[in-house]
Amino acid sequence: MPGTIIITGANGSLATPATELLLSKYPDYTLILTARNTDTIRTRNGTRNVSIRELDLSDLSAVHDFATSIASEIQAGTLPPLASIVCNAYYWNLRSAPETTANGFERTFQINHIAHATLVLRLLGQFNRKAGGRIVLFSSDAHWPGKKGLEKLPPAIPDDLRALIAPEQEAKADVIGRGFQRYANSKLAIVMWMYALNRQLESDLALNKITAVAVNPGNLADSRALRVNTPVFLKIMSFLIIRPFLFLLRRFSDPTMRTSAEAAADIVDFATNTTSPGERGYFTHSRKDDSSPDSLDQAKQDALWSKTIEWAGITGENTALEVEHLYVDNSIQN
């Protein structure tokens, strides 16, 4: 049953081919494409059932306002109920010290995790109750210690969760190493939060047909991530090695490496619930996979769940989740 699909970061490398594929293969869906700067979104002009909206994930008040607007339109019947939320937008910075948003949170963690969690929790009640729907979260093999060449400090969710939103400023910090760790931590948090979210959805009779997946789309050779907020050597590698020799790298070095268009095909099938329909969990490409051992720590999953609720400003008044599902007892310091 077609409905509305929201794609954040719709100006990104993967979002453009995903949008084109949705328009050609699944034209009955209504698409809401969001970005901080809507002028950078590329899609066919005049295409019906496509709405381009401004959404700044570094401003949680803007996320709440956007969610309120979408909910009002669905309730008024001017938008179909949600079929999927594709949390595609991302941020990283390998060139400078940690940045803080106006909300007081570290920028990478807010954009990648907190803002998307806010959007999802605010809009759970706008899915089709009979058909359910899909929440597509983006992770990475970066969440698994030792799997990325840029890793100098392994990803880890600290016992004091405040360290995720307010990392220490170190006078002689390794900018690349620390920046990549912040990114990897956000991807680890996304996987852990996905497991906690699915537990809450499954135990909520009104929402248990909504499923969440965290997808590692693979290492994208043509990703804008290799050219934005990155050191010069990575930009050079992108143009001179990674993109020209993708076939060889995929065959002999990293089998997950591929193009954004290839990854987009999988994401579209997740969003339309045609890949692994009704399944939840962690996927690499379109294949169900194991996430890292650290990500399976349920006590930390529950701690992160509860703290995310607080950071996101979610209450019983602004989400469809039953109140008893919002707060989970845990013993982790937060």
Side-chain angles (χ1 to χ4, degrees):
M1 181 181 295
T4 297
I5 296 176
I6 297 174
I7 302 177
T8 68
N11 56 344
S13 307
L14 186 150
T16 298
T19 298
E20 291 300 309
L21 187 56
L22 281 165
L23 291 172
S24 61
K25 189 176 180 181
Y26 300 101
D28 291 337
Y29 282 90
T30 296
L31 305 186
I32 296 180
L33 309 178
T34 80
R36 183 171 58 86
N37 180 0
T38 58
D39 291 339
T40 60
I41 295 178
R42 292 181 288 120
T43 187
R44 303 176 198 167
N45 292 328
T47 304
R48 69 183 185 92
N49 295 345
V50 176
S51 177
I52 295 175
R53 311 285 182 98
E54 182 178 307
L55 177 58
D56 184 356
L57 297 175
S58 68
D59 179 357
L60 291 182
S61 65
V63 179
H64 280 280
D65 289 345
F66 174 83
T68 297
S69 176
I70 295 298
S72 296
E73 292 176 56
I74 292 174
Q75 291 162 14
T78 55
L79 279 177
L82 290 177
S84 182
I85 301 174
V86 180
C87 300
N88 171 68
Y90 87 99
Y91 184 80
W92 74 354
N93 191 341
L94 309 185
R95 293 178 61 88
S96 67
E99 305 161 277
T100 301
T101 68
N103 300 111
F105 302 140
E106 192 278 315
R107 186 178 181 88
T108 299
F109 197 78
Q110 174 168 326
I111 291 175
N112 293 356
H113 173 58
I114 301 174
H116 281 128
T118 304
L119 182 65
V120 166
L121 293 170
R122 283 294 313 274
L123 290 176
L124 286 175
Q126 308 312 316
F127 281 82
N128 186 304
R129 292 295 179 94
K130 292 183 179 180
R134 260 276 169 68
I135 296 160
V136 184
L137 304 166
F138 280 65
S139 186
S140 164
D141 57 1
H143 90 277
W144 195 308
K147 289 206 171 184
K148 301 295 276 189
L150 287 173
E151 179 189 305
K152 297 183 179 180
L153 300 160
I157 300 300
D159 288 342
D160 184 352
L161 298 180
R162 289 170 295 187
L164 294 170
I165 60 169
E168 293 183 4
Q169 299 277 354
E170 298 181 21
K172 295 184 178 181
D174 177 345
V175 172
I176 297 174
R178 289 292 182 189
F180 190 79
Q181 185 188 42
R182 293 192 296 273
Y183 171 78
N185 281 348
S186 74
K187 294 302 183 179
L188 174 56
I190 287 167
V191 176
M192 297 177 76
W193 188 78
M194 175 272 299
Y195 288 124
L197 172 63
N198 276 321
R199 282 196 294 275
Q200 309 314 319
L201 291 173
E202 287 181 284
S203 60
D204 192 311
L205 293 179
L207 303 174
N208 61 13
K209 291 186 178 180
I210 302 172
T211 60
V213 294
V215 182
N216 166 20
N219 293 313
L220 308 184
D222 54 350
S223 173
R224 189 179 61 164
L226 298 174
R227 305 185 298 277
V228 177
N229 291 335
T230 58
V232 173
F233 81 84
L234 195 55
K235 296 178 183 180
I236 294 173
M237 284 182 60
S238 171
F239 283 108
L240 298 183
I241 299 175
I242 297 175
R243 296 175 74 171
F245 297 102
L246 169 59
F247 173 77
L248 293 175
L249 291 170
R250 176 162 47 193
R251 183 168 184 179
F252 296 108
S253 177
D254 181 358
T256 74
M257 188 169 283
R258 56 182 178 165
T259 66
S260 296
E262 291 173 306
D266 286 341
I267 297 304
V268 165
D269 285 345
F270 278 117
T272 55
N273 209 26
T274 53
T275 284
S276 301
E279 283 200 50
R280 312 167 191 263
Y282 180 77
F283 289 76
T284 296
H285 294 187
S286 61
R287 176 178 56 83
K288 193 75 175 287
D289 203 357
D290 295 325
S291 59
S292 71
D294 288 349
S295 72
L296 302 178
D297 184 330
Q298 187 169 334
K300 283 197 173 182
Q301 290 172 7
D302 289 344
L304 182 65
W305 170 265
S306 295
K307 204 63 181 175
T308 299
I309 294 290
E310 177 187 324
W311 292 330
I314 298 298
T315 69
E317 303 297 320
N318 61 16
T319 185
L321 270 178
E322 296 291 340
V323 174
E324 60 264 29
H325 298 311
L326 295 182
Y327 305 101
V328 179
D329 290 336
N330 61 76
S331 58
I332 303 295
Q333 180 184 355
N334 58 21

